[in-house]
Amino acid sequence: MNDVIKAMEERRSIRKYQTKQVPQEIIEQIVEAATYAASGMGKQSALIIAVTDPALRSRLAKMNAEVGGWKPDFDPFYGAPDVLVVLADKKVPTYVYDGSLVMGNLMLAAHTLGIGSCWIH
C-alpha cells in the first residue's frame, strides 16, 4: 500500500498528550508540510502560528475556553504542550477551504512524524 494512503487511513484525532514539548525541528517540519496544501487560486491565504511558550499557550487556552463557552478550568487543547494556530485571510474567497486544507496537512504530517494532533475550533 502507498505510504501516504496508509498514513491517511491510520491517522486519528488524539486528545491526550505527553507534557514534554515537541522538538522545534519537528514543529518546523510539520509547518513546512502544511504550507504545501492546495489553495484556491494559488493565494496561499493561510498563516500558521506555532505557540510553544507555555505561558502564551495557557492564555490562548483560557481565551478559547471562554469563546467556546466551556468552564474556565477546561483546557480545550487537552493538555497539548504546543499549539499550531491556522489563520486565513477573509479577503480571499476560499479562505475557509484554504485553512481547512492546511489543517489536514498539519495533522497528516504530525502523524507521520509520531506526533498526535486534533483539530480544535
Side-chain angles (χ1 to χ4, degrees):
M1 174 184 291
N2 177 290
D3 289 340
V4 174
I5 294 171
K6 185 174 187 281
M8 292 167 83
E9 290 178 351
E10 292 177 349
R11 194 208 72 75
R12 298 288 181 269
S13 291
I14 305 299
R15 291 180 181 86
K16 190 170 185 175
Y17 300 95
Q18 296 178 3
T19 57
K20 67 179 183 175
Q21 291 193 277
V22 176
Q24 185 64 32
E25 58 273 7
I26 298 294
I27 289 176
E28 289 171 5
Q29 287 180 41
I30 293 168
V31 169
E32 182 177 357
T35 65
Y36 287 97
S39 67
M41 300 175 284
K43 295 285 186 179
Q44 302 292 322
S45 71
L47 172 71
I48 305 159
I49 301 170
V51 180
T52 59
D53 175 68
L56 181 56
R57 182 251 179 246
S58 291
R59 283 184 55 207
L60 184 61
K62 286 181 184 180
M63 290 188 303
N64 198 7
E66 185 178 317
V67 169
W70 293 297
K71 295 179 181 178
D73 61 338
F74 176 71
D75 179 4
F77 303 133
Y78 302 99
D82 303 296
V83 176
L84 298 177
V85 179
V86 176
L87 305 171
D89 186 350
K90 283 187 170 184
K91 292 181 239 148
V92 176
T94 57
Y95 76 98
V96 172
Y97 312 111
D98 296 348
S100 297
L101 288 165
V102 166
M103 290 292 296
N105 273 23
L106 280 174
M107 293 183 297
L108 191 58
H111 170 72
T112 64
L113 294 169
I115 305 298
S117 66
C118 185
W119 182 317
I120 307 292
H121 280 279

mmCIF file of all heavy atoms in Angstrom, residues 53-78:
data_model
loop_
_atom_site.group_PDB
_atom_site.id
_atom_site.type_symbol
_atom_site.label_atom_id
_atom_site.label_comp_id
_atom_site.label_asym_id
_atom_site.label_seq_id
_atom_site.Cartn_x
_atom_site.Cartn_y
_atom_site.Cartn_z
ATOM 1 N N ASP A 53 5.429 28.701 23.689
ATOM 2 C CA ASP A 53 5.673 29.276 25.010
ATOM 3 C C ASP A 53 4.543 28.837 25.949
ATOM 4 O O ASP A 53 3.361 29.102 25.659
ATOM 5 C CB ASP A 53 5.714 30.803 24.915
ATOM 6 C CG ASP A 53 5.856 31.444 26.281
ATOM 7 O OD1 ASP A 53 6.921 31.289 26.893
ATOM 8 O OD2 ASP A 53 4.870 32.082 26.729
ATOM 9 N N PRO A 54 4.858 28.154 27.052
ATOM 10 C CA PRO A 54 3.805 27.644 27.943
ATOM 11 C C PRO A 54 2.853 28.724 28.476
ATOM 12 O O PRO A 54 1.644 28.483 28.567
ATOM 13 C CB PRO A 54 4.587 26.990 29.087
ATOM 14 C CG PRO A 54 5.908 26.632 28.487
ATOM 15 C CD PRO A 54 6.191 27.732 27.496
ATOM 16 N N ALA A 55 3.379 29.896 28.805
ATOM 17 C CA ALA A 55 2.509 30.955 29.332
ATOM 18 C C ALA A 55 1.541 31.445 28.262
ATOM 19 O O ALA A 55 0.347 31.643 28.532
ATOM 20 C CB ALA A 55 3.354 32.111 29.860
ATOM 21 N N LEU A 56 2.026 31.635 27.052
ATOM 22 C CA LEU A 56 1.167 32.076 25.959
ATOM 23 C C LEU A 56 0.157 30.993 25.598
ATOM 24 O O LEU A 56 -1.014 31.278 25.347
ATOM 25 C CB LEU A 56 2.010 32.452 24.738
ATOM 26 C CG LEU A 56 1.247 32.957 23.514
ATOM 27 C CD1 LEU A 56 0.379 34.165 23.860
ATOM 28 C CD2 LEU A 56 2.227 33.294 22.404
ATOM 29 N N ARG A 57 0.590 29.751 25.624
ATOM 30 C CA ARG A 57 -0.310 28.632 25.340
ATOM 31 C C ARG A 57 -1.443 28.590 26.355
ATOM 32 O O ARG A 57 -2.601 28.375 26.015
ATOM 33 C CB ARG A 57 0.502 27.329 25.347
ATOM 34 C CG ARG A 57 -0.307 26.093 25.015
ATOM 35 C CD ARG A 57 -0.434 25.286 26.317
ATOM 36 N NE ARG A 57 -1.201 24.092 26.109
ATOM 37 C CZ ARG A 57 -2.376 23.892 26.672
ATOM 38 N NH1 ARG A 57 -2.947 24.785 27.433
ATOM 39 N NH2 ARG A 57 -3.027 22.774 26.478
ATOM 40 N N SER A 58 -1.133 28.841 27.641
ATOM 41 C CA SER A 58 -2.158 28.862 28.687
ATOM 42 C C SER A 58 -3.153 30.006 28.475
ATOM 43 O O SER A 58 -4.359 29.826 28.652
ATOM 44 C CB SER A 58 -1.519 28.981 30.063
ATOM 45 O OG SER A 58 -0.825 27.798 30.373
ATOM 46 N N ARG A 59 -2.634 31.172 28.111
ATOM 47 C CA ARG A 59 -3.521 32.316 27.825
ATOM 48 C C ARG A 59 -4.450 32.006 26.654
ATOM 49 O O ARG A 59 -5.641 32.297 26.699
ATOM 50 C CB ARG A 59 -2.707 33.568 27.510
ATOM 51 C CG ARG A 59 -2.122 34.243 28.725
ATOM 52 C CD ARG A 59 -1.392 35.527 28.400
ATOM 53 N NE ARG A 59 -2.221 36.463 27.661
ATOM 54 C CZ ARG A 59 -1.752 37.384 26.828
ATOM 55 N NH1 ARG A 59 -0.456 37.502 26.633
ATOM 56 N NH2 ARG A 59 -2.559 38.197 26.200
ATOM 57 N N LEU A 60 -3.898 31.413 25.614
ATOM 58 C CA LEU A 60 -4.689 31.052 24.443
ATOM 59 C C LEU A 60 -5.758 30.018 24.813
ATOM 60 O O LEU A 60 -6.905 30.113 24.367
ATOM 61 C CB LEU A 60 -3.774 30.511 23.344
ATOM 62 C CG LEU A 60 -4.411 30.160 22.017
ATOM 63 C CD1 LEU A 60 -5.059 31.383 21.377
ATOM 64 C CD2 LEU A 60 -3.363 29.574 21.076
ATOM 65 N N ALA A 61 -5.407 29.056 25.645
ATOM 66 C CA ALA A 61 -6.364 28.033 26.080
ATOM 67 C C ALA A 61 -7.514 28.669 26.855
ATOM 68 O O ALA A 61 -8.679 28.329 26.637
ATOM 69 C CB ALA A 61 -5.663 26.977 26.927
ATOM 70 N N LYS A 62 -7.199 29.605 27.738
ATOM 71 C CA LYS A 62 -8.247 30.276 28.519
ATOM 72 C C LYS A 62 -9.169 31.086 27.616
ATOM 73 O O LYS A 62 -10.387 31.076 27.783
ATOM 74 C CB LYS A 62 -7.621 31.163 29.593
ATOM 75 C CG LYS A 62 -7.056 30.380 30.745
ATOM 76 C CD LYS A 62 -6.461 31.268 31.809
ATOM 77 C CE LYS A 62 -5.826 30.396 32.876
ATOM 78 N NZ LYS A 62 -5.218 31.144 33.944
ATOM 79 N N MET A 63 -8.596 31.788 26.649
ATOM 80 C CA MET A 63 -9.417 32.576 25.722
ATOM 81 C C MET A 63 -10.293 31.658 24.874
ATOM 82 O O MET A 63 -11.472 31.943 24.656
ATOM 83 C CB MET A 63 -8.534 33.444 24.823
ATOM 84 C CG MET A 63 -7.859 34.581 25.554
ATOM 85 S SD MET A 63 -6.991 35.753 24.482
ATOM 86 C CE MET A 63 -5.853 34.721 23.594
ATOM 87 N N ASN A 64 -9.739 30.549 24.417
ATOM 88 C CA ASN A 64 -10.501 29.608 23.599
ATOM 89 C C ASN A 64 -11.635 28.987 24.410
ATOM 90 O O ASN A 64 -12.739 28.810 23.908
ATOM 91 C CB ASN A 64 -9.578 28.536 23.020
ATOM 92 C CG ASN A 64 -10.200 27.804 21.850
ATOM 93 O OD1 ASN A 64 -11.256 28.146 21.364
ATOM 94 N ND2 ASN A 64 -9.520 26.779 21.400
ATOM 95 N N ALA A 65 -11.370 28.658 25.667
ATOM 96 C CA ALA A 65 -12.407 28.092 26.530
ATOM 97 C C ALA A 65 -13.535 29.097 26.731
ATOM 98 O O ALA A 65 -14.717 28.732 26.713
ATOM 99 C CB ALA A 65 -11.810 27.670 27.868
ATOM 100 N N GLU A 66 -13.180 30.350 26.894
ATOM 101 C CA GLU A 66 -14.191 31.395 27.080
ATOM 102 C C GLU A 66 -15.055 31.558 25.832
ATOM 103 O O GLU A 66 -16.280 31.586 25.908
ATOM 104 C CB GLU A 66 -13.511 32.715 27.422
ATOM 105 C CG GLU A 66 -14.489 33.834 27.755
ATOM 106 C CD GLU A 66 -13.764 35.114 28.138
ATOM 107 O OE1 GLU A 66 -12.781 35.036 28.886
ATOM 108 O OE2 GLU A 66 -14.208 36.187 27.679
ATOM 109 N N VAL A 67 -14.406 31.631 24.690
ATOM 110 C CA VAL A 67 -15.130 31.778 23.419
ATOM 111 C C VAL A 67 -16.000 30.548 23.156
ATOM 112 O O VAL A 67 -17.124 30.662 22.664
ATOM 113 C CB VAL A 67 -14.142 32.007 22.249
ATOM 114 C CG1 VAL A 67 -14.834 31.893 20.903
ATOM 115 C CG2 VAL A 67 -13.483 33.368 22.380
ATOM 116 N N GLY A 68 -15.495 29.376 23.506
ATOM 117 C CA GLY A 68 -16.219 28.132 23.281
ATOM 118 C C GLY A 68 -17.338 27.880 24.268
ATOM 119 O O GLY A 68 -18.109 26.935 24.106
ATOM 120 N N GLY A 69 -17.418 28.698 25.322
ATOM 121 C CA GLY A 69 -18.470 28.526 26.321
ATOM 122 C C GLY A 69 -18.203 27.413 27.316
ATOM 123 O O GLY A 69 -19.116 26.939 27.985
ATOM 124 N N TRP A 70 -16.940 26.997 27.435
ATOM 125 C CA TRP A 70 -16.586 25.948 28.384
ATOM 126 C C TRP A 70 -16.301 26.543 29.756
ATOM 127 O O TRP A 70 -16.121 27.744 29.895
ATOM 128 C CB TRP A 70 -15.355 25.180 27.898
ATOM 129 C CG TRP A 70 -15.587 24.383 26.655
ATOM 130 C CD1 TRP A 70 -16.445 23.334 26.503
ATOM 131 C CD2 TRP A 70 -14.966 24.572 25.380
ATOM 132 N NE1 TRP A 70 -16.384 22.855 25.219
ATOM 133 C CE2 TRP A 70 -15.488 23.589 24.506
ATOM 134 C CE3 TRP A 70 -14.023 25.462 24.898
ATOM 135 C CZ2 TRP A 70 -15.093 23.486 23.183
ATOM 136 C CZ3 TRP A 70 -13.620 25.354 23.574
ATOM 137 C CH2 TRP A 70 -14.162 24.380 22.743
ATOM 138 N N LYS A 71 -16.207 25.680 30.749
ATOM 139 C CA LYS A 71 -15.849 26.115 32.093
ATOM 140 C C LYS A 71 -14.445 26.708 32.071
ATOM 141 O O LYS A 71 -13.589 26.264 31.296
ATOM 142 C CB LYS A 71 -15.907 24.937 33.069
ATOM 143 C CG LYS A 71 -17.304 24.394 33.249
ATOM 144 C CD LYS A 71 -17.316 23.219 34.194
ATOM 145 C CE LYS A 71 -18.731 22.693 34.333
ATOM 146 N NZ LYS A 71 -18.808 21.542 35.198
ATOM 147 N N PRO A 72 -14.180 27.705 32.932
ATOM 148 C CA PRO A 72 -12.874 28.380 32.904
ATOM 149 C C PRO A 72 -11.678 27.458 33.104
ATOM 150 O O PRO A 72 -10.603 27.726 32.588
ATOM 151 C CB PRO A 72 -12.972 29.386 34.050
ATOM 152 C CG PRO A 72 -14.426 29.577 34.280
ATOM 153 C CD PRO A 72 -15.096 28.296 33.893
ATOM 154 N N ASP A 73 -11.851 26.356 33.819
ATOM 155 C CA ASP A 73 -10.722 25.455 34.078
ATOM 156 C C ASP A 73 -10.574 24.367 33.002
ATOM 157 O O ASP A 73 -9.670 23.546 33.071
ATOM 158 C CB ASP A 73 -10.843 24.816 35.457
ATOM 159 C CG ASP A 73 -12.103 23.973 35.621
ATOM 160 O OD1 ASP A 73 -13.073 24.184 34.871
ATOM 161 O OD2 ASP A 73 -12.109 23.108 36.508
ATOM 162 N N PHE A 74 -11.443 24.376 31.987
ATOM 163 C CA PHE A 74 -11.368 23.382 30.913
ATOM 164 C C PHE A 74 -10.250 23.757 29.946
ATOM 165 O O PHE A 74 -10.110 24.906 29.552
ATOM 166 C CB PHE A 74 -12.694 23.301 30.152
ATOM 167 C CG PHE A 74 -12.652 22.362 28.974
ATOM 168 C CD1 PHE A 74 -12.597 20.996 29.167
ATOM 169 C CD2 PHE A 74 -12.655 22.856 27.678
ATOM 170 C CE1 PHE A 74 -12.549 20.120 28.076
ATOM 171 C CE2 PHE A 74 -12.608 21.993 26.588
ATOM 172 C CZ PHE A 74 -12.560 20.624 26.789
ATOM 173 N N ASP A 75 -9.448 22.777 29.575
ATOM 174 C CA ASP A 75 -8.379 23.010 28.614
ATOM 175 C C ASP A 75 -8.832 22.505 27.251
ATOM 176 O O ASP A 75 -8.839 21.300 26.997
ATOM 177 C CB ASP A 75 -7.098 22.290 29.043
ATOM 178 C CG ASP A 75 -5.952 22.481 28.071
ATOM 179 O OD1 ASP A 75 -6.107 23.245 27.081
ATOM 180 O OD2 ASP A 75 -4.898 21.864 28.272
ATOM 181 N N PRO A 76 -9.208 23.406 26.342
ATOM 182 C CA PRO A 76 -9.683 22.971 25.031
ATOM 183 C C PRO A 76 -8.596 22.327 24.175
ATOM 184 O O PRO A 76 -8.896 21.744 23.138
ATOM 185 C CB PRO A 76 -10.190 24.260 24.384
ATOM 186 C CG PRO A 76 -9.490 25.353 25.103
ATOM 187 C CD PRO A 76 -9.220 24.852 26.484
ATOM 188 N N PHE A 77 -7.338 22.406 24.622
ATOM 189 C CA PHE A 77 -6.231 21.783 23.890
ATOM 190 C C PHE A 77 -5.836 20.447 24.510
ATOM 191 O O PHE A 77 -4.811 19.862 24.131
ATOM 192 C CB PHE A 77 -5.032 22.725 23.823
ATOM 193 C CG PHE A 77 -5.355 24.055 23.194
ATOM 194 C CD1 PHE A 77 -4.934 25.233 23.790
ATOM 195 C CD2 PHE A 77 -6.093 24.148 22.025
ATOM 196 C CE1 PHE A 77 -5.226 26.462 23.222
ATOM 197 C CE2 PHE A 77 -6.399 25.369 21.452
ATOM 198 C CZ PHE A 77 -5.962 26.531 22.052
ATOM 199 N N TYR A 78 -6.611 19.982 25.471
ATOM 200 C CA TYR A 78 -6.426 18.665 26.078
ATOM 201 C C TYR A 78 -5.011 18.414 26.589
ATOM 202 O O TYR A 78 -4.506 17.299 26.525
ATOM 203 C CB TYR A 78 -6.827 17.554 25.094
ATOM 204 C CG TYR A 78 -8.263 17.668 24.630
ATOM 205 C CD1 TYR A 78 -8.569 18.254 23.402
ATOM 206 C CD2 TYR A 78 -9.312 17.223 25.432
ATOM 207 C CE1 TYR A 78 -9.881 18.390 22.975
ATOM 208 C CE2 TYR A 78 -10.621 17.349 25.019
ATOM 209 C CZ TYR A 78 -10.901 17.932 23.794
ATOM 210 O OH TYR A 78 -12.201 18.062 23.378
#
